[in-house]
Amino acid sequence: MTIPPHPLVTAARGLAAEVLAPSAERVDQEGIPASSVEAVKRSGLLGAVAPVAYGGSAAPAAVVRETAEILAGACCSTWFVQTQHHTPVTTLAKSDLPVRERLLGPLARGELLSGVAYAQLRAYPRIPVRVTPERGGWRFDGTVPWYTGWGLNDVMLLAGVTDADEALFAFTEARGQPGLRPSPPMRLAALTASRTVSLELDGLWLPDDAVALRTPYESWAVTDRPKNTNASPAVFGVTATAIGLLEDDPADSAKETAGALRARLDEVRRQAYELADHPVPTERIDERLACKTRAYDVMRAATTAAVVAGGGRAMDLRSPAQRLAREGMFLLVQGQTAQVRAAHLGSLGSPG
């Protein structure tokens, strides 16, 4: 008996086929349009990890991963903007502070799209964003080097470190305001469409009831460090789409290469998700890192093969092959930590 796909998987496939994939090359060059953001909001995918009681789906991890693969394989820029949303949702779902009741429902139902500004916490003991108490709330000062979705997001989850070495996360509107100034959108080799900026914080004041999480930095870091040792579903999504281009190529050599790469993809994907489902995220780190680098290897081979098969046509900016190759380059460094970088460089430098 065939088991029907989860409704979110069906929604992701429909969104990818009808909205994202047909316009991916144009979006890559011109930016994500508001219509695509609205389609994402209507899809129900923004509530994938949210509690059912707040309008979400509380979907299993396997479903969340599959939807991520589908979206990233269709348009990596749009996937990257919407994937930021799930961290604020998860943060609120675990919070017992007043902001939960104000924002979790709208975020879960897709009425609001949230971005995140917290990767700078990983620079500790350097503190790019300092948070200090002021006037019954909190003052933020410093620089957020990367913020994705500017002009597309409604709200953002902003983080910094207090003088007591706490990680503090709070919500604010995703717009220029007193104490918050965005840079012009960055021109990137890939995913310029994601509208990434840096943020200068100079006395941004947020009330205490905007705080979603306040915890000792080390407590936050213990749970954060293992996350990026797992392979990203987006890597598998981009790889699968590149292999699909080879499968559609009339040349027998392209189809043979596609078959070999598909087998490699299936195997590394199976291993990666087995590790991701391991009940103790701080265990088997070396295996996770090795699997992650193998996933990168397959992605690099698949996107390179798509360019080779396309020949000179692949250099045209309207070609999906070169877009996928650039998106793959982006995924090599997305969410990169010093530990991940060292493992990947070690793998690239090893003989054979």
Side-chain angles (χ1 to χ4, degrees):
M1 182 178 68
T2 302
I3 300 175
H6 190 282
L8 286 184
V9 172
T10 301
R13 289 173 179 167
L15 180 66
E18 297 165 16
V19 178
L20 304 188
S23 61
E25 276 65 58
R26 178 174 56 80
V27 165
D28 177 62
Q29 295 302 306
E30 300 176 9
I32 299 171
S35 58
S36 291
V37 174
E38 290 306 313
V40 171
K41 287 181 171 181
R42 291 193 303 268
S43 70
L45 292 165
L46 294 179
V49 299
V52 173
Y54 288 81
S57 297
V63 169
V64 175
R65 292 192 295 249
E66 187 172 1
T67 60
E69 288 186 26
I70 293 166
L71 298 186
C75 177
C76 200
S77 293
T78 305
W79 163 78
F80 190 50
V81 169
Q82 68 80 43
T83 201
Q84 315 293 315
H85 181 89
H86 302 297
T87 295
V89 169
T90 301
T91 302
L92 285 174
K94 296 177 180 178
S95 179
D96 58 0
L97 297 174
V99 71
R100 170 188 170 115
E101 298 308 313
R102 178 164 59 88
L103 286 180
L104 183 52
L107 293 175
R109 295 187 295 269
E111 296 164 9
L112 298 174
L113 177 66
S114 182
V116 293
Y118 77 92
Q120 66 275 4
L121 290 182
R122 295 172 181 146
Y124 188 89
R126 187 168 61 84
I127 300 176
V129 175
R130 172 72 69 181
V131 186
T132 52
E134 184 177 282
R135 293 183 287 119
W138 299 91
R139 174 185 172 125
F140 288 74
D141 292 281
T143 300
V144 175
W146 303 93
Y147 179 82
T148 294
W150 189 257
L152 299 173
N153 296 325
D154 302 295
V155 297
M156 73 168 79
L157 181 61
L158 173 64
V161 177
T162 71
D163 291 337
D165 279 341
E166 300 166 308
L168 188 144
F169 291 70
F171 280 93
T172 186
E173 294 183 20
R175 60 173 179 81
Q177 53 187 293
L180 190 161
R181 185 178 71 255
S183 73
M186 298 179 186
R187 293 292 299 170
L188 306 174
L191 274 70
T192 287
S194 66
R195 301 196 195 182
T196 296
V197 300
S198 62
L199 302 175
E200 290 300 322
L201 306 172
D202 183 15
L204 173 67
W205 182 85
L206 298 179
D208 199 48
D209 63 8
V211 175
L213 175 66
R214 182 182 172 191
T215 188
Y217 176 84
E218 191 54 40
S219 297
W220 174 82
V222 164
T223 61
D224 178 72
R225 289 187 189 114
K227 291 178 182 177
N228 288 324
T229 62
N230 290 311
S232 167
V235 169
F236 302 130
V238 167
T239 304
T241 299
I243 292 172
L245 294 180
L246 295 171
E247 291 170 337
D248 292 339
D249 193 288
D252 289 341
S253 57
K255 296 183 185 301
E256 291 171 3
T257 299
L261 288 169
R262 180 73 68 180
R264 289 175 61 189
L265 170 62
D266 290 345
E267 177 60 16
V268 73
R269 182 181 183 272
R270 180 193 63 77
Q271 293 172 351
Y273 290 165
E274 177 186 293
L275 288 165
D277 288 334
H278 184 70
V280 184
T282 55
E283 293 182 353
R284 303 177 70 178
I285 296 298
D286 289 344
E287 290 179 69
R288 295 174 197 266
L289 290 169
C291 188
K292 187 182 183 89
T293 58
R294 287 196 300 273
Y296 285 151
D297 290 343
V298 180
M299 178 180 67
R300 188 172 61 252
T303 56
T304 301
V307 170
V308 171
R313 297 186 307 278
M315 294 299 99
D316 191 314
L317 288 176
R318 294 167 295 182
S319 163
Q322 56 77 32
R323 172 179 58 82
L324 291 165
R326 289 186 291 106
E327 290 174 348
M329 179 176 64
F330 167 82
L331 292 173
L332 295 179
V333 299
Q334 186 255 327
Q336 186 188 64
T337 63
Q339 184 181 31
V340 171
R341 183 186 301 113
H344 195 185
L345 288 173
S347 172
L348 291 170
S350 64

